[in-house]
Amino acid sequence: MSTENLPQSPEQQPPRKPRVAVVFGGRSSEHGISMVTAGAVLRAIDRTKYDVLPIGITREGRWVLTADEPERMAITERRTPDVEELAESSEGGVILPVDPANREVVYSEPGSVPKALGEVDVVFPMLHGPYGEDGTLQGLLELSGVPYVGSGVLASAVGQDKEYMKRVFISFGLPVGPYVVIRPREWELDESTARKKIIDFAGEHGWPLFVKPARAGSSIGITKVDELSGLDEAIAAARQHDPKFLVEALLRGREIECGVLEFEDGPRASVPAEIPPVQSHDYYDFEAKYIDSTPGLVPAPLTPEQTAEVRRLAVEAFDAASCEGLVRADFFLTEDGTFVINEINTMPGFTPISMYPQMWEATGVPYPELVDRLIQAALRRSTGLR
């Protein structure tokens, strides 16, 4: 008598594969780039080792089930994708667990019985910018008791806010370039005084200056200002993305990046890369990064001493901000040979042209292994205080 169709005993059933929820999109201005990043990760996850649940967050903040079709999550004709284009329903929503003892995700549509989608073992949050990379999603996952890839609440918040990132680096003795911050109340109560603060900064450090949203990424909202006449327009562009903004002095030198990855024995740095100037762009803005980019130099043409120094500084920055999982640290190698840290990115891009995976590929960690190491590092950590 055949036993093929008989129910298996618990001892006979194969162990369940860990389930990874890849979350992408979001409410920030980096919605489309988040999708491009997530598409690359979805292609790379080993489906023989993990079950995958793609979850998109619309620009309005609705959590939706999406098609598992990473080929549709790419920049086409200079246009980034949108979660709504992949959503399986225009009304349904995904609900995360709120009980740490229950990791079951539920899908609900109006007028229908909620449908259990099974437990999630780890979340891979491929979100960039506010409402995802800044500690907000990390806090939700901590409350839910669900492990996740990347840094915790504090490090994510510090990594998103350029002002406090710089303050942390300075407190740890890391070299930071000149900057000034204009906070929302400061600008709203007295624009003229706030503007004078910037003009005085320009008088000390000279033009051009860079005006940046304090809590945005992908070079969105950044303007290089060559003279006073362009200042107000640059401030308006930054404030479209964040009511708090920074003004930074120009640092003349080479742009050097270095990746940090959490291994079983602690964080390690990749070989560094250099970002060459894009000839058609005045600086490394959004289109220079994602549309008209030229290949980075991996590894960067540095001396052995310079390579060792930037790798050391990258790990120091990782530790200073209490990061976990991964970080891309961005530096300027100034004309006098000094490395100055510009910023860290706690969830750097994983697009096919992104420097973080390229640097690790050159260090001996190919893309699929990189993704696997990040998931495994998250599974090793508990939620809560650690």
Side-chain angles (χ1 to χ4, degrees), residues 113-297:
V113 176
K115 176 185 176 183
L117 300 178
E119 292 190 351
V120 166
D121 297 288
V122 63
V123 170
F124 206 134
M126 303 310 305
L127 294 159
H128 301 310
Y131 312 110
E133 192 183 351
D134 58 350
T136 50
L137 176 62
Q138 290 74 15
L140 173 63
L141 295 172
E142 293 284 353
L143 290 172
S144 301
V146 180
Y148 53 93
V149 170
S151 290
V153 176
L154 173 66
S156 297
V158 168
Q160 186 64 43
D161 191 311
K162 293 178 175 60
E163 176 192 0
Y164 286 97
M165 182 196 308
K166 292 176 187 292
R167 289 181 181 273
V168 167
F169 291 158
I170 290 168
S171 73
F172 277 81
L174 290 162
V176 170
Y179 73 100
V180 65
V181 178
I182 305 296
R183 297 185 174 186
R185 189 187 310 165
E186 202 175 349
W187 182 259
E188 291 156 9
L189 290 180
D190 192 342
E191 285 187 20
S192 60
T193 300
R195 191 180 290 104
K196 183 179 183 302
K197 184 176 173 181
I198 300 170
I199 294 170
D200 290 345
F201 179 80
E204 181 179 358
H205 298 286
W207 302 90
L209 301 173
F210 288 90
V211 180
K212 300 180 176 182
R215 295 161 292 194
S218 297
S219 297
I220 291 173
I222 296 178
T223 306
K224 181 183 178 185
V225 184
D226 294 308
E227 55 188 17
L228 180 60
S229 61
L231 182 60
D232 285 351
E233 184 178 351
I235 291 171
R239 283 177 53 82
Q240 284 183 353
H241 302 279
D242 190 343
K244 180 167 80 167
F245 63 94
L246 284 82
V247 179
E248 295 178 347
L250 173 68
L251 292 176
R252 300 187 185 280
R254 298 158 62 187
E255 292 194 44
I256 306 295
E257 297 185 348
C258 189
V260 181
L261 178 64
E262 181 182 347
F263 286 74
E264 291 82 356
D265 60 351
R268 302 182 199 172
S270 71
V271 299
E274 180 169 2
I275 307 299
V278 179
Q279 296 304 318
S280 57
H281 294 262
D282 199 21
Y283 64 98
Y284 200 41
D285 60 8
F286 177 87
E287 292 207 348
K289 279 186 177 181
Y290 297 107
I291 307 296
D292 303 319
S293 61
T294 56
L297 305 176

Side-chain angles (χ1 to χ4, degrees), residues 23 55-58 61-65 92-96 107 137 140:
V23 180
I55 298 176
I57 302 177
T58 68
R62 185 168 63 97
W63 291 51
V64 300
L65 281 180
V94 173
I95 303 169
L96 285 184
Y107 178 73
L137 176 62
L140 173 63

Side-chain angles (χ1 to χ4, degrees), residues 23-76:
V23 180
F24 53 88
R27 294 164 57 190
S28 83
S29 53
E30 297 175 79
H31 177 102
I33 291 302
S34 167
M35 290 192 65
V36 177
T37 295
V41 170
L42 285 169
R43 282 190 292 271
I45 291 179
D46 184 350
R47 303 305 178 99
T48 68
K49 190 172 181 178
Y50 304 104
D51 285 328
V52 177
L53 178 66
I55 298 176
I57 302 177
T58 68
R59 295 180 188 273
E60 291 72 40
R62 185 168 63 97
W63 291 51
V64 300
L65 281 180
T66 68
D68 188 2
E69 299 176 8
E71 66 277 2
R72 294 173 58 191
M73 301 165 68
I75 296 174
T76 54

Side-chain angles (χ1 to χ4, degrees), residues 244-371:
K244 180 167 80 167
F245 63 94
L246 284 82
V247 179
E248 295 178 347
L250 173 68
L251 292 176
R252 300 187 185 280
R254 298 158 62 187
E255 292 194 44
I256 306 295
E257 297 185 348
C258 189
V260 181
L261 178 64
E262 181 182 347
F263 286 74
E264 291 82 356
D265 60 351
R268 302 182 199 172
S270 71
V271 299
E274 180 169 2
I275 307 299
V278 179
Q279 296 304 318
S280 57
H281 294 262
D282 199 21
Y283 64 98
Y284 200 41
D285 60 8
F286 177 87
E287 292 207 348
K289 279 186 177 181
Y290 297 107
I291 307 296
D292 303 319
S293 61
T294 56
L297 305 176
V298 187
L302 301 171
T303 67
E305 294 77 16
Q306 289 171 328
T307 296
E309 175 67 0
V310 75
R311 294 176 83 171
R312 180 186 69 81
L313 290 171
V315 172
E316 283 194 12
F318 182 95
D319 286 336
S322 297
C323 296
E324 295 170 291
L326 72 163
V327 148
R328 193 194 69 230
D330 301 344
F331 298 86
F332 291 106
L333 177 56
T334 60
E335 293 175 340
D336 66 1
T338 302
F339 282 104
V340 175
I341 187 164
N342 182 36
E343 64 182 29
I344 58 171
N345 193 315
T346 57
M347 187 51 71
F350 273 78
T351 67
I353 61 171
S354 295
M355 296 310 302
Y356 184 85
Q358 286 191 48
M359 288 186 287
W360 279 108
E361 183 90 30
T363 311
V365 182
Y367 196 107
E369 181 185 339
L370 177 62
V371 171

